[in-house]
Amino acid sequence: MSVVLENPNPESPHRGFVDDLYRIGNSLESKNPHVVARSRRTLARLRRGLTDDRYAGDGYELLFRHQIPERHEPPCLLVAGLFALNSHTTTRASERWRLCAALADAGSAGAADARVRQLIGATQTGGLDYRLRQAVQLIGGARPRMALDYEHLLWDLIHLNGDEAQAAKVRVRWARDFKHRVYRQTSQKEAAATE
């Protein structure tokens, strides 16, 4: 039996949590200045929660709206903070990028490759949070802007904290996502050059 790394349940509390993040991001486009200001304040607090535990409570406000298992709270708080670093979103799930595929398009090929290797090599105690912050900030600064698939990232982080077999599958998928995107870019450039 294979281990499913995705969350097949569309009614899961995890999906509701991520949908709340997407709603905050979409609120930045509101015509109502009060809605925009409230969203900016929420995102600022979530960003501060990445580096200052005094602001972790702001992330819990979102978590407690859903029945997230306690063991999944740390990855959820991390994803909330990462979302605050790159809150660009889209309503179409098909237009959201997986983390390492987005890295392939977010900067020079050498720098992106190094970031992916650092992400894959990092562990929770070895600076994964820091490496994720760097990666999401790099993606957030890329043009055109890329909306990340934060639900997929959340499940990756949950599985990285699981058993080693699940964690290994996540690391392999991150490498595959990156290399597949690089391969597609190279193929497109070569095809354009021969036309």
Side-chain angles (χ1 to χ4, degrees), residues 1 9 11 16 33 42 46 50 56 62 65 71 96 99 102 107 111 117 124 128 130 139:
M1 183 171 114
N9 182 358
E11 301 302 319
T42 300
L46 293 174
L50 282 171
L62 285 172
R65 294 179 196 163
R71 70 184 183 282
R96 294 179 185 143
L99 177 70
R117 287 178 193 278
Q124 285 298 89
L128 181 61
Y130 173 74
I139 293 165

Side-chain angles (χ1 to χ4, degrees), residues 4-5 19 26 38 66 76 81 106 112 114 164 169:
V4 177
L5 294 180
D19 285 346
N26 287 331
R38 185 174 45 245
H66 308 281
C76 285
E164 183 51 34
K169 286 183 181 188

Side-chain angles (χ1 to χ4, degrees), residues 53-75:
D53 289 340
R54 292 178 296 169
Y55 295 96
D58 295 308
Y60 280 108
E61 286 181 28
L62 285 172
L63 273 176
F64 291 152
R65 294 179 196 163
H66 308 281
Q67 295 178 343
I68 303 286
E70 188 174 340
R71 70 184 183 282
H72 293 174
E73 288 176 1

Side-chain angles (χ1 to χ4, degrees), residues 9-192:
N9 182 358
E11 301 302 319
S12 81
H14 301 81
R15 178 160 294 166
F17 171 74
V18 174
D19 285 346
D20 275 357
L21 293 174
Y22 289 140
R23 274 190 281 284
I24 293 167
N26 287 331
S27 294
L28 293 172
E29 303 299 322
S30 174
K31 300 212 183 302
N32 183 333
H34 299 293
V35 170
V36 173
R38 185 174 45 245
S39 295
R40 286 186 178 158
R41 276 192 307 274
T42 300
L43 291 171
R45 290 176 181 147
L46 293 174
R47 270 191 304 276
R48 283 193 298 263
L50 282 171
T51 57
D52 189 341
D53 289 340
R54 292 178 296 169
Y55 295 96
D58 295 308
Y60 280 108
E61 286 181 28
L62 285 172
L63 273 176
F64 291 152
R65 294 179 196 163
H66 308 281
Q67 295 178 343
I68 303 286
E70 188 174 340
R71 70 184 183 282
H72 293 174
E73 288 176 1
C76 285
L77 292 172
L78 176 56
V79 165
L82 294 172
F83 179 82
L85 292 174
N86 178 18
S87 57
H88 178 67
T89 187
T90 178
T91 55
R92 289 188 218 131
S94 62
E95 294 177 1
R96 294 179 185 143
W97 291 72
R98 289 186 181 188
L99 177 70
C100 291
L103 275 172
D105 278 18
S108 71
D113 187 60
R115 292 232 191 253
V116 171
R117 287 178 193 278
Q118 291 167 349
L119 276 172
I120 291 170
T123 64
Q124 285 298 89
T125 58
L128 181 61
D129 294 7
Y130 173 74
R131 298 293 181 201
L132 285 167
R133 287 195 311 269
Q134 285 183 319
V136 171
Q137 285 176 316
L138 180 66
I139 293 165
R143 297 293 178 258
R145 296 192 69 192
M146 291 180 274
L148 288 175
D149 185 340
Y150 286 99
E151 184 179 6
H152 196 275
L153 179 57
L154 173 59
W155 282 105
D156 284 349
L157 295 176
I158 288 169
H159 292 294
L160 281 170
N161 285 328
D163 66 41
E164 183 51 34
Q166 288 181 330
K169 286 183 181 188
V170 171
R171 290 190 293 268
V172 167
R173 191 169 35 354
W174 282 3
R176 184 186 184 284
D177 286 349
F178 177 74
K179 289 300 183 180
H180 183 257
R181 184 67 190 155
V182 169
Y183 173 77
R184 287 188 58 196
Q185 290 172 334
T186 304
S187 297
Q188 289 169 352
K189 288 177 186 174
E190 289 172 355

